[in-house]
Amino acid sequence: MPLVAMAALATAASPVGAATAGTTKSGSVTTMASCNGWQNAGGIAGRWTKSKDPCSLWGHKGLKVRYRWAAERGTPCIKVKGFKWSKTKKNYVAKWYNAGCGKSGFIKNVPWGNVAAHPEIKIKGFSLLKWQ
């Protein structure tokens, strides 16, 4: 499906003010948005659970992304997946970054780099939320 068509579908299904599909430049930070709009996820009290975007993000050298979430129930704590260059492995390795806790929030400048991978978040605390 062409990116334009996916963006139209994502916009129709997204909450008011949500970004469209793909990535958009905002200064030096790229706003990441799922090809399917906002993703639904849930957290469990006392343990980290993962939610994975079904679409891959194709990165490039120096790419930094932003994640957003909005809880419909509960006050979750969030960690987000990024990538960091490993001098010893001479490759990018996955790293989890703390995004904080709260009903809603965002984290920007999460290093992604030259990696093609699925964006992911970890959720802790009983909650239902949407994220991108």
Side-chain angles (χ1 to χ4, degrees):
M1 180 180 290
L3 185 57
V4 174
M6 289 190 311
L9 290 172
T11 303
S14 299
V16 174
T20 57
T23 58
T24 57
K25 284 282 192 177
S26 173
S28 63
V29 178
T30 297
T31 301
M32 183 184 59
S34 169
C35 64
N36 293 324
W38 288 72
Q39 299 296 312
N40 292 317
I44 299 171
R47 139 175 176 213
W48 290 100
T49 58
K50 287 184 184 180
S51 178
K52 182 177 178 178
D53 191 315
C55 298
S56 293
L57 174 61
W58 290 72
H60 56 80
K61 185 177 180 180
L63 177 66
K64 295 184 180 196
V65 297
R66 176 176 60 178
Y67 287 83
R68 299 189 299 173
W69 79 91
E72 297 172 352
R73 297 204 188 272
T75 307
C77 291
I78 305 291
K79 289 185 180 185
V80 299
K81 186 178 183 180
F83 293 89
K84 186 173 182 178
W85 180 258
S86 170
K87 291 179 184 178
T88 56
K89 294 183 179 181
K90 298 186 185 212
N91 199 1
Y92 287 93
V93 293
K95 180 176 177 183
W96 290 95
Y97 295 87
N98 287 323
C101 302
K103 289 272 185 198
S104 65
F106 69 94
I107 181 173
K108 60 182 182 175
N109 294 324
V110 177
W112 194 272
N114 193 20
V115 176
H118 295 271
E120 289 183 71
I121 67 169
K122 286 184 181 179
I123 307 136
K124 189 173 188 180
F126 180 75
S127 58
L128 298 174
L129 60 103
K130 292 186 178 294
W131 70 277
Q132 64 176 180

